[in-house]
Every structure is written in C-alpha cells, then in structure tokens.
Amino acid sequence: MSGMTLVLLPPVGLDDRCWDWLDLPVPAVRHVYPGFGSRHRNGRPADLDAWADEVAALADGEPLDLAGISMGSMVAQHAAIRHPGRVRSLLLACTGGSADPASALARADAAEEAGMAGVLEKTLRRWFTPSALAARPAHPGVAYATATLLALNPRSWADGWRAIAGHDVLSRLGTVTAPATCVAGSGDLSAPVERVRRLADAIPGARLEILDGPHMI
C-alpha cells in the first residue's frame, strides 16, 4: 500500500475482529492494543499517549488515516495532537474529548473484583440496543462482543479503563490540523450526541455526523 494507510482503532475490550461487519473500500491496518485480542499485556501501565505513539509509528512514515470508535477514538485524538505530521485525517466515533475519571476507574475496579462475567451485562447494555440484546444469541455483534469480553483477562479490561480515566484533551484539540469527522449515535448511552458535538466543536473545521444507532454503532 502506498500513499496512505487506513488504521482502525477498536473500542476497549475488543480486537481486530470487531471490524468484520464493515465493507471497507481499501485495505486497512486493524490495530490491537497490548492485552487485547492475541496481544499479551506488556507489564507497563496502559497509557493513551503511549498507544498513540505506537500508532504513529505504523506504516513506515506514510500518511495515516485514523478511524476509531470509543477508546479507539481517544487514541486517535492523542495521535493527532502528538504527531500532527503523521495523521492525514480522522474519523472519531462515539466518544468525547474527555472522560469521567470516577466512572472509568470504577469500571476497572469492578472487573478486577467480579471478573468479566460480573461486568458483562452492564457493558452490553451500554453498548447495544435493547432489541439487539433481546435477539441473543442470534445477533452476531452481541455474540461476538460477549465471547470476546468473557475471554478477556479482567486486568486488561481494567488497564483500558484506567487509561480512559486519564483522557482529557479538550483544551488541546484546537491544535489538530487534520480534517476530522466526528460520528455520534442517536441512541448512544455512553457518548450522547452532545458529548460528541463538543468534541467536533473543539477541532478546527471538524464536521459532525449523527447516525441512528447505539454506542457500538
């Protein structure tokens, strides 16, 4: 691939298979964070800046088009701020420019105390519509998320949420020079439309798209 590289950045807890339902017009790098999917935890504290630096080092210096959802969108924001010369464009879905530290840390603690089975239902209710959950086990997205989360090391889930707890770049988004599209789901419980709108307003020239759907849009 030459000239551009599309990098897909998944939500917390999920892996490169979360993009299987997309019909992509170009090849893409499906990035996975340490501790998720087939990647082992590296023993270092999870950090969005460190993950953003890892993303920026991809593709041998070619321009990067970053598309992230939820935590993946946070990583993309940090990459665009820290490495403006590497990021050609941004698609930032279902998140904001900051997170609620207390909620994020509580989710980390809950997984370490109760295991992934203990946090599964609350997570799925934040991510999917009631009708999707009612269609279990036939709904492919819910089935994938359920199996992937239950197979996840709770410490990796906690790592992700502790990284999210430190996400607050709203005051720095004015330095982003890459064209950005911010996508909100009309029924998103985790990142309501107004939260995504604040993100779009903070990035010069960004546009907001509102689609019908939940957090796992």
Side-chain angles (χ1 to χ4, degrees):
M1 193 185 330
S2 63
M4 62 161 282
T5 299
L6 173 62
V7 182
L8 303 176
L9 302 170
V12 65
L14 301 185
D15 58 19
D16 54 343
R17 296 172 297 158
C18 75
W19 309 105
D20 286 351
W21 290 270
L22 295 183
D23 182 14
L24 296 170
V26 295
V29 175
R30 301 185 181 200
H31 191 65
V32 178
Y33 318 108
F36 299 91
S38 60
R39 288 193 68 181
H40 296 294
R41 294 174 76 240
N42 54 23
R44 295 191 296 271
D47 179 84
L48 296 183
D49 281 340
W51 291 349
D53 293 346
E54 182 180 81
V55 168
L58 295 171
D60 298 324
E62 291 184 358
L64 301 177
D65 295 296
L66 304 183
I69 181 169
S70 195
M71 188 178 78
S73 171
M74 297 177 189
V75 174
Q77 293 169 49
H78 285 246
I81 291 168
R82 294 171 63 83
H83 304 278
R86 296 286 291 115
V87 178
R88 191 181 80 154
S89 70
L90 294 163
L91 189 146
L92 307 173
C94 302
T95 198
S98 63
D100 175 18
S103 295
L105 293 174
R107 288 169 187 165
D109 292 343
E112 290 183 330
E113 293 169 4
M116 293 308 298
V119 300
L120 178 66
E121 286 304 315
K122 284 186 177 180
T123 301
L124 295 178
R125 287 197 295 270
R126 289 196 308 269
W127 284 7
F128 294 98
T129 63
S131 60
L133 296 177
R136 286 183 286 184
H139 190 286
V142 176
Y144 156 72
T146 298
T148 304
L149 292 177
L150 288 177
L152 185 66
N153 185 331
R155 294 180 64 189
S156 295
W157 177 256
D159 286 346
W161 280 106
R162 291 190 177 117
I164 288 170
H167 174 59
D168 187 356
V169 295
L170 271 173
S171 65
R172 300 162 61 197
L173 289 171
T175 67
V176 172
T177 57
T181 298
C182 301
V183 179
S186 60
D188 190 341
L189 301 179
S190 294
V193 171
E194 286 309 310
R195 183 182 177 203
V196 183
R197 190 186 306 278
R198 288 193 295 273
L199 173 66
D201 289 344
I203 300 173
R207 65 191 181 102
L208 174 67
E209 293 287 342
I210 303 171
L211 304 180
D212 183 24
H215 190 57
M216 286 300 155
I217 201 165

